[in-house]
Amino acid sequence: MYKVPAQPSTQRVYVWRKLKGWGALYLQQSVCVLPHREDLQQHLAELKTDITAGGGEADLLTIWIDQPEQNAMLVNRFQQQADQEYQEFLGQCRDLHSELSEERKIGNLTFAELEENEAELNKLRSWLPKIHARDLFDAQGYSQAIEAFKACELDFLLFSEQVYEAEGIDS
């Protein structure tokens, strides 16, 4: 639980981004939960120091949920949160396939297009491990995201070969 001064908003955004980056599940505004893990505890202690240094308040509470149903519900919410991110990732994969398909259709097999789409593939490549790091309870979407990314890599490889062929260069 934390409370930060309303102004400037940079500290509030900083705290929110840190917590979301670690996979925190918000129960309500400024109240979130994370599983009890040593690496997260260390991050949270450092964040608490940052919050208090910025004039805010923070409490780190360790809770124990002794009701299996309640615990399962909380784990399910963590998994749903991760699956939402995986769904966004899958949408970006579909967008890359559509883009490559469109470029093939109109015959725009150029090095500029190759570079542009390589940048998009690299974004996906760096994004997936970040989502997976926040996936604290092994959501189902990860395996689908891995397969979708592999398909993107293969589609991009084919596109690359087509560009090289169109430019008269052996790949």
Side-chain angles (χ1 to χ4, degrees):
M1 297 184 300
Y2 64 92
K3 182 177 178 182
V4 293
Q7 295 299 326
S9 64
T10 52
Q11 186 181 22
R12 190 173 59 253
V13 171
Y14 168 79
V15 170
W16 181 85
R17 289 189 70 175
K18 285 286 189 183
L19 289 166
K20 291 303 281 183
W22 298 326
L25 177 67
Y26 272 80
L27 301 178
Q28 57 181 277
Q29 186 175 337
S30 302
V31 178
C32 57
V33 292
L34 282 160
H36 188 75
R37 297 184 182 171
E38 194 59 42
D39 60 330
L40 293 174
Q41 293 303 308
Q42 202 169 3
H43 291 316
L44 290 170
E46 292 168 6
L47 183 59
K48 180 180 179 179
T49 300
D50 291 346
I51 291 170
T52 56
E57 302 170 17
D59 291 306
L60 299 177
L61 307 172
T62 301
I63 61 170
W64 175 259
I65 301 172
D66 60 356
Q67 298 173 339
E69 305 83 26
Q70 181 68 33
N71 193 55
M73 188 179 75
L74 201 54
V75 167
N76 186 45
R77 287 181 63 189
F78 272 104
Q79 290 171 327
Q80 287 175 350
Q81 178 175 271
D83 278 333
Q84 282 181 319
E85 283 196 86
Y86 288 129
Q87 287 302 314
E88 287 180 45
F89 181 85
L90 293 173
Q92 292 298 311
C93 287
R94 286 188 295 273
D95 290 349
L96 179 61
H97 288 298
S98 295
E99 172 69 15
L100 295 175
S101 180
E102 182 63 24
E103 297 306 339
R104 287 179 181 111
K105 185 173 143 187
I106 64 174
N108 194 9
L109 303 172
T110 65
F111 285 116
E113 282 304 318
L114 184 64
E115 285 181 356
E116 178 183 319
N117 288 294
E118 184 175 33
E120 291 304 312
L121 183 67
N122 286 334
K123 286 179 192 175
L124 292 172
R125 181 176 286 118
S126 67
W127 187 21
L128 186 54
K130 291 175 186 174
I131 298 171
H132 188 59
R134 291 187 290 267
D135 180 3
L136 302 172
F137 291 96
D138 300 323
Q140 292 179 344
Y142 181 62
S143 59
Q144 189 179 3
I146 286 286
E147 292 306 312
F149 180 70
K150 288 178 183 176
C152 285
E153 287 182 313
L154 289 174
D155 198 11
F156 178 77
L157 183 61
L158 177 60
F159 184 76
S160 299
E161 290 170 359
Q162 292 167 330
V163 168
Y164 287 126
E165 185 178 308
E167 294 288 334
I169 299 171
D170 292 330
S171 55

